[in-house]
Amino acid sequence: MPRSFLVKKYFAKQKPNYSELVCHNDTSLERYPLAELPSGDNTCFTTGLVWDLSVLPALYLPISQTEPSATPGPLDLSSPSSLSSSASSCGEEDEGRTSDPPSPEPVHTYAPRQRMKCTGVMPHISPPEEEEEEERKAPAIAARPAFLCKHCPKEYTSLGALKMHIRSHTLPCVCTTCGKAFSRPWLLRGHIRTHTGERPFSCTHCNRAFADRSNLRAHLQTHAEVKKYQCGVCSRTFSRMSLLQKHSSSGCCSSAV
DNA sequence: CTGGGGACGGGGCCC
DNA sequence: TGGGCCCCGTCCCCA
């Protein structure tokens, strides 16, 4: 299942310096280098690589075409239970998602994924004992070095990775305001900002503030003269992959798709 | 229709 | 080994 996050690992040891990003309204100060994108060259620049659409078609494979079994199974909603981890326990300060120049490797995979809307439906949260039991069972199910998730076909090479994954099924972090549950505390923190209105990440160009670093990163693209994603046919650049996709599918680059 | 913002998911890395 | 954070990404919705 070629989910984007499963196929990364571009620069393991060469992370860019994100301490440059500004995070005002917050104790920490960060400054984002992306805010100063060079202009001119419309194909590639140092801080942000322009993706060429012409390389995309072969790489953009829907999940169904590549690994159908990888889709996580439905959540088990059968056993509601008390939840120890709460919004308060997870804090409210800054959290970490960051904007950032794209990886220098022009390999993108496209995989539409399911979304869980905040619809008021309480997701299932397993009690700690249940979660531990699942974790214990997992290695037994696995063939050998692999740890299999009992909720879905995923397998991992380490128990730690499996435990982390299982959290996506058990969703131990629950928002005390709306009841929505998350797999990790910082996801909950980010969600809580939607209630509090806190926006700790600001753009150095326009002072617009964001609650999410990733959104700031995307926003910074709008200030860039040359954007991250480029059409292989007309050389037009876009701030988002989705925009490039729309562009390509709507005529201009029909030959490239 | 396009561009952008909001919300969120999950693996990997670091401590 | 586990938790926190980083990074990258997607989808939905709206102007």
Side-chain angles (χ1 to χ4, degrees), chain A residues 21-236:
Chain A
L21 293 182
V22 168
C23 177
H24 85 155
N25 177 19
D26 202 12
T27 53
S28 63
L29 227 54
E30 300 173 293
R31 210 162 301 126
Y32 292 67
L34 254 191
E36 303 189 332
L37 296 172
S39 58
D41 186 345
N42 67 344
T43 56
C44 185
F45 44 81
T46 54
T47 56
L49 176 121
V50 175
W51 306 105
D52 189 333
L53 181 65
S54 61
V55 306
L56 297 179
L59 300 170
Y60 276 52
L61 297 178
I63 288 178
S64 58
Q65 296 179 19
T66 56
E67 197 171 330
S69 66
T71 306
L75 294 178
D76 176 13
L77 300 174
S78 59
S79 65
S81 62
S82 62
L83 211 288
S84 57
S85 178
S86 66
S88 56
S89 67
C90 288
E92 178 93 4
E93 318 94 57
D94 178 14
E95 75 159 325
R97 285 137 121 198
T98 301
S99 71
D100 169 26
S103 70
E105 191 170 323
V107 176
H108 274 193
T109 56
Y110 172 67
R113 72 164 193 245
Q114 306 159 340
R115 283 199 78 189
M116 181 177 70
K117 276 298 203 177
C118 189
T119 57
V121 177
M122 285 293 290
H124 161 64
I125 294 106
S126 300
E129 318 84 63
E130 181 179 335
E131 187 169 343
E132 290 176 8
E133 184 185 0
E134 293 167 353
E135 292 160 1
R136 278 194 298 272
K137 288 178 182 174
I141 301 172
R144 217 186 340 152
F147 294 85
L148 297 180
C149 175
K150 80 170 206 175
H151 298 288
C152 71
K154 285 188 177 181
E155 62 180 69
Y156 297 84
T157 55
S158 71
L159 180 60
L162 174 63
K163 284 183 176 181
M164 183 60 67
H165 165 75
I166 287 178
R167 293 180 69 116
S168 67
H169 293 297
T170 58
L171 302 176
C173 301
V174 177
C175 175
T176 54
T177 302
C178 68
K180 184 170 171 57
F182 299 85
S183 59
R184 308 183 196 183
W186 56 95
L187 289 176
L188 173 59
R189 275 181 233 133
H191 166 76
I192 289 176
R193 292 205 195 100
T194 67
H195 295 305
T196 64
E198 180 190 8
R199 292 164 176 261
F201 306 100
S202 66
C203 174
T204 55
H205 291 252
C206 63
N207 280 336
R208 183 172 183 135
F210 299 85
D212 189 301
R213 247 190 198 129
S214 288
N215 292 339
L216 171 59
R217 182 177 56 229
H219 167 78
L220 287 172
Q221 278 289 305
T222 68
H223 290 302
E225 290 186 20
V226 178
K227 302 188 172 58
K228 190 174 172 180
Y229 304 97
Q230 182 181 41
C231 172
V233 174
C234 67
S235 295
R236 185 176 175 184

Side-chain angles (χ1 to χ4, degrees), chain A residues 53 56 60 110-111 229 238 240-250 257:
Chain A
L53 181 65
L56 297 179
Y60 276 52
Y110 172 67
Y229 304 97
F238 300 86
R240 296 177 180 218
M241 175 63 73
S242 59
L243 297 177
L244 173 56
Q245 289 177 305
K246 286 180 183 178
H247 168 75
S248 64
S249 62
S250 66
V257 178

